[in-house]
Amino acid sequence: MLRIDNLRKTFDVPSDQRGRGRATASAQLAAIDDVSLEIHEGEMFTFLGPSGCGKTTTLRSIAGLERPDSGEIRLSERVLFSRGRGRDREVPVNRRGLGMVFQSYAIWPHLSVFDNVAFPLQVMPRRDRPKKKVIEERVMRVLATMELDAFAGRSATKLSGGQQQRLALARALVTEPPLLLLDEPLSNLDAKLRESLRFELKRLQHEIGITSIYVTHDQVEALALSSRIAVMSKGQVAQVGAPRDIYTHPESKFVAEFIGNSNFLPATAVESGNGTAIVETPQGRLEVAVDRPLDATASYLIGIRPESVEVLAAETAPAAGNGFSGTVAARSYLGEAVDHIVDIGGYEMRARVNPSVSFPAGTAVRLRIDPATISLIPTEGASR
Amino acid sequence: MLQQRYTEERSAGQLVRRVLSPKNVIVFLAILIIGYLVLTPAIYLFIATFFSGGAFTLDAFRRAYGTSGLDSMVLSSIVFTVGATVLALALGTALAYITVRTNVPFRSLIVATSLVPLIVPGLLYTIAWVMVASPNVGIANQIGNALTGGPWFDIFSMPGMIWVEGTHNVPLVYLFMFVAFRAMDPSLEESALVNGATRATMLRRITIPLMRPALAAAALVVGVKTLGSFEVPTLLGVPGGIFVFVSRIYYVMSDFPYDTAAAGALSIGLVVLAILGTWALNRMQGDGKQYATVTGKGFRPAALDLGRWKWPVAIGVLVYFLVTTALPLFVMAYNSLLPHFQAISIRAMSEFTLQNYVDLFENPIFARSVGNSLLLAVGTATAIMVLTAVAAWVVVRGRRRSRKLVDQLTFIPMVFPGLVIGLAVSFVYLRNPLPIAVYGTLLILLIAYMTNFLPYGMRYAMSSLQQISAELEESSAVAGASWWQTWTRIVLPLMFPGLMAGWIYLLIVAVRELGSSILLYSPGNEVIAVLIFQMYEEGELVDISALGVVLVVFLSLIVALVHKFGSRVGIRL
């Protein structure tokens, strides 16, 4: 539905931000570095990554607010942007006909709720512009969908955070655009409101069925909302996949780390069978679940989530089973869980366990890890 | 269908339409007008000074600077500028600190009164001080004459000049520092105290360094204004034989036959001095962002307890206002009621009359100059705010190159004092480059005012635009609005309160303007300030007093009205 090909964009970074009459040297910074993606009809597609990874720049390039240096953006058969591949084309931002929800919501404070939503219809080219009455009907209909019809005459600045989000959505949807762009719309809200609005957003997207692109740096938000996720790093796409895929099969240390892994051990295959494999790590052998046999000559990195590590008292637990023996180095109480740092032969492994389990520092413990929860990340020389 | 409309080859017609889009046309026109306003005076000044009969010459500099008393003029200019600026900075900063950060009594009264002098035009303020402290007729000196047989004060001296110019600029400094102290996180000071510093050390090592960017900004505005001040050096310096650049230029230009090239040479010297000062202060100001003292959060004003100094400080502040604000205004009001200027006495009060006011309103020149001043003020304020709304948009949101160009263009008039702009504009329209008559009309004053006040308008327009998030414009574009639709339906309505505030500020400064008018007016085109200046030269002190009272009341009414109704539409002065 939306296709992005080889998009690139560099920014000039002035070394001296302001300076009347002073020379400003500038450096180049690649914001998007060869990004290619395809987004399907009806998807909720998320760009996920830390700040500065190029996710917002990519979104703004789709909207037409940034001009990439090269590459192509197509919406269905329509070329929105093309540069450096034959004939250059660019549809100006105000003719792309997309809907967008901004980080700050960008609700115009001098207009009423009704006028904010009516604006996109009122500024249409004269020949496409609906009649006044039709505009009123359409605005009221979308306001009703968002449960804002009671506030139509009210000043837009008097709305609560959640209402403002729905207003921004109503404004983005009133023209029934083929694609909805959402730029971190939940990041300005407090944690509680964020959670409830996340569900709200998911419900609305599902009901309306509109193809959406969502930008966020919050992996929980991305996992909860998306049909597919593109994890981005340093202007490039690190991995694309469904939330479960990304979570269980990160393809690089960066993705694994960003999605919540914090224990990493280098590993090589010792025995590789159907479904499971034994790998050798500096801390000992470990059983790992695999979907296909491992390459015996390659090296891997295994990623283990703190919450998949079980901590047992060494005296009671058998030394056998999948895992390591070690000593508790430190623990910290987090309320809903207890974090243990366990020293296993020189490596400090983090384990997050139920608060009913708690060992003081110095206790000898046994760590047990379910083979299915270990992610295997190929490093150099390994085929995927 | 959409597809076809947008992916067609660009035809010549489309190209023309793209180049001549409303955005390009409006931005181009604004830059063109600003460039014309700013650059023509500078270029003509340069040519008139360095070229004589088509050949390059430094003769004008020899004539201008060769006369005796050069070093004393340069020295006087520097002493006057530095002295008055330092005085204004010290008093303004102290007042701001006292009102923002201490528990001084009558705080809100002090805040209000410290802004009153802003309304009194510099010319009237200077004349009022002549009435107070001239050695011969000054009312304050009558006490000295009676007690010790001689005057105590001589306003026609360097200290007199510094006092009058400095105290008149205190409110400007006050405004800068008031905002800076308000925005400063008090915990920065508190942590100094917690770490064992004394209050004096805290002020010296923490507070003042943190205020450095604001101090430098205030010093820049006040210093450039003082260097280019016309009324104080001309009215107070010249009678005492003290010349600075501005009064020397005026002197050269009022001595027939005019040596315009010599005046130009002096002007260039003055501008160079202003550029040097600006450059030095800009360096001192630094990035301005290096201290994140302004976080946009409202701090609970943690008042410094003055203890037993509470009342002495309050009384000191009160006396200061009595002397600098109440005394000159009182003397002016008093004299406006007298048939001729005289000492304060019971007998004089028995002669009180409203005849001066009657004369004033029957004077056709007064009516004419009021009309001219108002017309010019409204015209200047409107034209500048329209221009700077576009220019500010280019600087804040535009592309890098045009942003820099406009930013620098609009800054240039800052280093050109009013009198120099007047002189340069007269050079331009003696060889009129425009197809319409300008010289000897109100238009020449309008042009000079627009050049002169452009940076002020720019400051208001920029700050109002900077408060508008770029996302508000971007969301309009994404919603399908053209540049023109975004501009008229989103940007202008949101900028409106800020533009109105700038408009009113410009209205007030334009009504007061003398420096750039004095060389450009012609009979029939007098403005209020020129009329006052002429009346002063003819010694009509009581008539000036009446005019001054009327003017101050009028300007106060404007400010009061804005204060009362302006807050409804978000206008802050």
Side-chain angles (χ1 to χ4, degrees):
Chain A
M1 199 244 166
L2 182 85
R3 227 188 122 89
I4 301 172
D5 285 308
N6 307 101
L7 212 61
R8 287 175 198 276
K9 161 112 188 146
T10 53
F11 278 121
D12 289 339
V13 188
S15 61
D16 183 1
Q17 286 291 327
R18 41 159 271 185
R20 280 186 204 274
R22 269 180 276 167
T24 52
S26 63
Q28 296 265 305
L29 179 87
I32 323 176
D33 188 4
D34 199 11
V35 165
S36 300
L37 285 168
E38 186 156 8
I39 290 144
H40 309 305
E41 191 80 49
E43 266 192 318
M44 177 78 153
F45 193 92
T46 297
F47 297 162
L48 172 69
S51 65
C53 71
K55 57 189 191 298
T56 296
T57 311
T58 309
L59 189 82
R60 290 170 59 86
S61 299
I62 297 168
L65 293 167
E66 300 281 352
R67 175 175 297 158
D69 301 334
S70 63
E72 189 169 89
I73 303 171
R74 279 168 182 273
L75 183 65
S76 304
E77 283 314 301
R78 185 175 163 215
V79 177
L80 294 182
F81 177 84
S82 178
R83 200 160 177 203
R85 34 177 71 206
R87 208 169 62 195
D88 289 357
R89 290 177 220 178
E90 186 178 3
V91 178
V93 46
N94 56 330
R95 292 287 167 262
R96 292 198 182 186
L98 307 179
M100 181 160 176
V101 174
F102 286 78
Q103 186 167 8
S104 66
Y105 299 147
I107 286 161
W108 300 304
H110 62 301
L111 299 180
S112 68
V113 169
F114 180 91
D115 287 332
N116 260 283
V117 179
F119 187 90
L121 298 172
Q122 290 167 345
V123 297
M124 279 184 161
R126 211 167 286 277
R127 56 183 155 171
D128 306 335
R129 193 183 303 166
K131 292 214 163 56
K132 226 176 155 186
K133 229 172 138 211
V134 180
I135 291 183
E136 205 178 305
E137 273 169 29
R138 286 177 65 175
V139 170
M140 287 318 289
R141 196 165 46 195
V142 71
L143 282 178
T145 315
M146 297 296 159
E147 293 166 18
L148 283 173
D149 39 347
F151 304 107
R154 202 180 280 195
S155 161
T157 48
K158 299 236 164 73
L159 298 183
S160 71
Q163 290 167 334
Q164 287 198 8
Q165 190 200 30
R166 278 182 277 148
L167 173 56
L169 263 171
R171 189 178 64 187
L173 294 173
V174 71
T175 56
E176 291 165 15
L179 180 65
L180 176 66
L181 309 173
L182 301 132
D183 183 8
E184 307 216 21
L186 300 179
S187 66
N188 281 337
L189 305 170
D190 61 79
K192 257 202 173 138
L193 190 58
R194 188 156 32 182
E195 203 164 324
S196 71
L197 288 183
R198 192 159 69 208
F199 282 108
E200 171 105 4
L201 208 56
K202 185 160 192 172
R203 184 182 61 81
L204 278 168
Q205 199 267 339
H206 198 76
E207 270 173 22
I208 301 164
I210 184 172
T211 314
S212 312
I213 301 180
Y214 190 94
V215 161
T216 183
H217 61 266
D218 182 338
Q219 85 274 10
V220 179
E221 216 166 280
L223 294 171
L225 278 173
S226 323
S227 6
R228 280 196 306 148
I229 298 173
V231 185
M232 294 183 69
S233 161
K234 293 177 187 159
Q236 294 177 323
V237 176
Q239 191 176 349
V240 183
R244 189 170 292 278
D245 253 9
I246 301 254
Y247 193 79
T248 52
H249 294 295
E251 285 170 5
S252 62
K253 189 179 175 195
F254 171 82
V255 174
E257 223 162 13
F258 199 77
I259 221 82
N261 266 335
S262 64
N263 301 309
F264 293 98
L265 291 171
T268 45
V270 178
E271 249 182 77
S272 185
N274 234 354
T276 69
I278 305 288
V279 294
E280 179 78 54
T281 76
Q283 271 63 39
R285 293 194 170 190
L286 210 56
E287 189 187 338
V288 181
V290 291
D291 7 349
R292 63 188 130 146
L294 294 184
D295 183 348
T297 59
S299 53
Y300 296 86
L301 200 63
I302 54 169
I304 303 164
R305 289 167 197 290
E307 58 271 26
S308 347
V309 183
E310 219 179 321
V311 184
L312 306 161
E315 312 95 68
T316 57
N322 202 33
F324 306 103
S325 296
T327 333
V328 175
R331 84 181 150 173
S332 115
Y333 179 70
L334 303 174
E336 57 183 21
V338 179
D339 262 10
H340 288 83
I341 307 283
V342 180
D343 188 324
I344 45 167
Y347 180 84
E348 295 200 325
M349 182 161 283
R350 184 181 294 271
R352 178 163 297 177
V353 296
N354 191 288
S356 61
V357 181
S358 186
F359 298 101
T363 317
V365 290
R366 177 73 195 164
L367 302 182
R368 204 156 63 188
I369 304 156
D370 178 357
T373 63
I374 299 172
S375 31
L376 202 59
I377 304 153
T379 56
E380 292 96 303
S383 59
R384 282 178 183 175
Chain B
M1 185 204 80
L2 275 174
Q3 158 97 10
Q4 273 177 356
R5 215 193 304 160
Y6 296 116
T7 55
E8 274 167 29
E9 295 271 0
R10 258 184 247 150
S11 65
Q14 274 178 316
L15 197 69
V16 168
R17 224 178 311 148
R18 178 177 276 210
V19 171
L20 290 182
S21 68
K23 172 183 162 186
N24 288 352
V25 170
I26 288 169
V27 167
F28 177 77
L29 274 180
I31 295 179
L32 192 74
I33 295 172
I34 288 172
Y36 177 81
L37 284 174
V38 171
L39 294 180
T40 50
I43 293 167
Y44 276 75
L45 176 66
F46 199 75
I47 293 174
T49 308
F50 286 103
F51 290 88
S52 173
F56 181 84
T57 170
L58 290 173
D59 253 18
F61 277 84
R62 211 167 28 76
R63 288 200 304 278
Y65 295 94
T67 49
S68 60
L70 165 70
D71 356 333
S72 78
M73 178 193 74
V74 175
L75 189 69
S76 298
S77 297
I78 293 173
V79 170
F80 170 60
T81 304
V82 173
T85 306
V86 168
L87 181 68
L89 283 180
L91 289 173
T93 308
L95 280 175
Y97 191 81
I98 290 169
T99 46
V100 177
R101 306 300 304 278
T102 72
N103 64 345
V104 72
F106 314 125
R107 202 148 70 158
S108 47
L109 179 74
I110 297 175
V111 174
T113 45
S114 46
L115 296 175
V116 170
L118 270 184
I119 299 169
V120 183
L123 181 60
L124 286 177
Y125 188 73
T126 312
I127 294 174
W129 273 101
V130 170
M131 297 188 217
V132 171
S134 106
N136 301 326
V137 296
I139 281 157
N141 278 326
Q142 286 161 15
I143 308 163
N145 283 333
L147 291 180
T148 59
W152 288 351
F153 309 102
D154 182 4
I155 204 72
F156 301 113
S157 64
M158 182 55 85
M161 289 164 66
I162 290 178
W163 170 256
V164 173
E165 183 72 35
T167 51
H168 190 246
N169 289 334
V170 165
L172 275 179
V173 178
Y174 181 83
L175 280 179
F176 269 93
M177 301 316 291
F178 185 83
V179 173
F181 281 128
R182 265 283 176 81
M184 189 181 115
D185 183 350
S187 67
L188 295 171
E189 283 190 339
E190 285 160 0
S191 65
L193 294 177
V194 170
N195 282 304
T198 62
R199 282 193 196 286
T201 314
M202 173 198 87
L203 277 176
R204 191 167 50 84
R205 298 273 305 274
I206 306 292
T207 314
I208 291 173
L210 279 174
M211 289 294 116
R212 202 181 70 184
L215 272 172
L220 182 72
V221 169
V222 172
V224 168
K225 181 172 180 284
T226 304
L227 188 64
S229 163
F230 175 78
E231 35 285 75
V232 170
T234 313
L235 265 51
L236 303 183
V238 175
I242 303 165
F243 277 93
V244 297
F245 271 103
V246 173
S247 47
R248 176 74 77 185
I249 295 167
Y250 179 65
Y251 185 77
V252 168
M253 285 307 290
S254 45
D255 225 14
F256 201 78
Y258 312 131
D259 188 348
T260 51
L266 288 166
S267 299
I268 288 174
L270 178 54
V271 169
V272 167
L273 209 57
I275 291 171
L276 286 177
T278 307
W279 176 77
L281 284 169
N282 254 336
R283 290 200 54 134
M284 212 179 101
Q285 190 169 7
D287 193 7
K289 280 178 192 157
Q290 55 182 320
Y291 304 131
T293 52
V294 184
T295 57
K297 275 193 187 120
F299 294 109
R300 188 171 47 87
L304 181 79
D305 187 9
L306 288 173
R308 60 202 167 91
W309 286 98
K310 205 167 145 178
W311 287 103
V313 167
I315 289 167
V317 170
L318 233 57
V319 168
Y320 168 78
F321 284 122
L322 281 179
V323 170
T324 59
T325 309
L327 182 62
L329 285 178
F330 165 76
V331 168
M332 192 169 286
Y334 172 78
N335 277 307
S336 74
L337 296 171
L338 290 174
H340 55 89
F341 187 79
Q342 57 187 295
I344 293 180
S345 63
I346 303 293
R347 195 177 52 80
M349 286 183 209
S350 67
E351 292 178 32
F352 271 180
T353 164
L354 287 176
Q355 191 56 41
N356 293 324
Y357 291 93
V358 175
D359 289 350
L360 189 66
F361 285 102
E362 283 175 353
N363 182 350
I365 303 180
F366 171 69
R368 195 165 68 203
S369 49
V370 166
N372 287 340
S373 277
L374 282 179
L375 193 64
L376 275 171
V378 169
T380 307
T382 310
I384 288 186
M385 288 331 291
V386 169
L387 266 183
T388 52
V390 179
W393 188 82
V394 174
V395 173
V396 177
R397 306 267 200 260
R399 305 229 183 99
R400 187 122 70 95
R401 247 185 313 164
S402 46
R403 158 194 310 208
K404 235 175 159 174
L405 173 76
V406 174
D407 196 24
Q408 278 161 0
L409 270 182
T410 51
F411 182 74
I412 292 175
M414 273 297 279
V415 294
F416 281 75
L419 187 72
V420 174
I421 286 176
L423 182 71
V425 164
S426 77
F427 290 164
V428 176
Y429 297 98
L430 281 170
R431 308 171 183 77
N432 192 358
L434 294 181
I436 41 169
V438 174
Y439 211 96
T441 69
L442 276 181
L443 198 55
I444 196 168
L445 287 166
L446 179 74
I447 291 171
Y449 283 14
M450 283 177 69
T451 308
N452 200 1
F453 300 139
L454 195 62
Y456 301 120
M458 199 61 189
R459 213 174 60 197
Y460 275 93
M462 294 252 303
S463 72
S464 81
L465 189 59
Q466 275 157 352
Q467 287 164 10
I468 302 167
S469 147
E471 287 196 344
L472 292 175
E473 284 172 56
E474 289 173 348
S475 60
S476 167
V478 173
S482 65
W483 182 84
W484 176 249
Q485 284 168 325
T486 302
W487 180 250
T488 51
R489 301 183 59 157
I490 306 292
V491 181
L492 274 185
L494 288 173
M495 278 179 87
F496 185 76
L499 294 180
M500 263 325 275
W503 189 85
I504 287 152
Y505 179 77
L506 289 175
L507 195 74
I508 291 169
V509 291
V511 166
R512 307 190 309 200
E513 173 56 19
L514 176 61
S516 57
S517 323
I518 194 75
L519 295 176
L520 295 177
Y521 81 91
S522 47
N525 294 324
E526 303 91 346
V527 291
I528 292 259
V530 168
L531 178 66
I532 298 175
F533 188 71
Q534 288 173 336
M535 288 163 86
Y536 179 79
E537 294 208 305
E538 278 159 34
E540 299 166 359
L541 286 180
V542 287
D543 306 86
I544 292 180
S545 299
L547 204 169
V549 170
V550 172
L551 191 55
V552 169
V553 168
F554 171 71
L555 292 174
S556 311
L557 273 178
I558 293 185
V559 173
L561 277 176
V562 171
H563 197 75
K564 191 161 187 327
F565 298 107
S567 53
R568 284 193 204 160
V569 283
I571 296 173
R572 287 157 302 141
L573 273 184

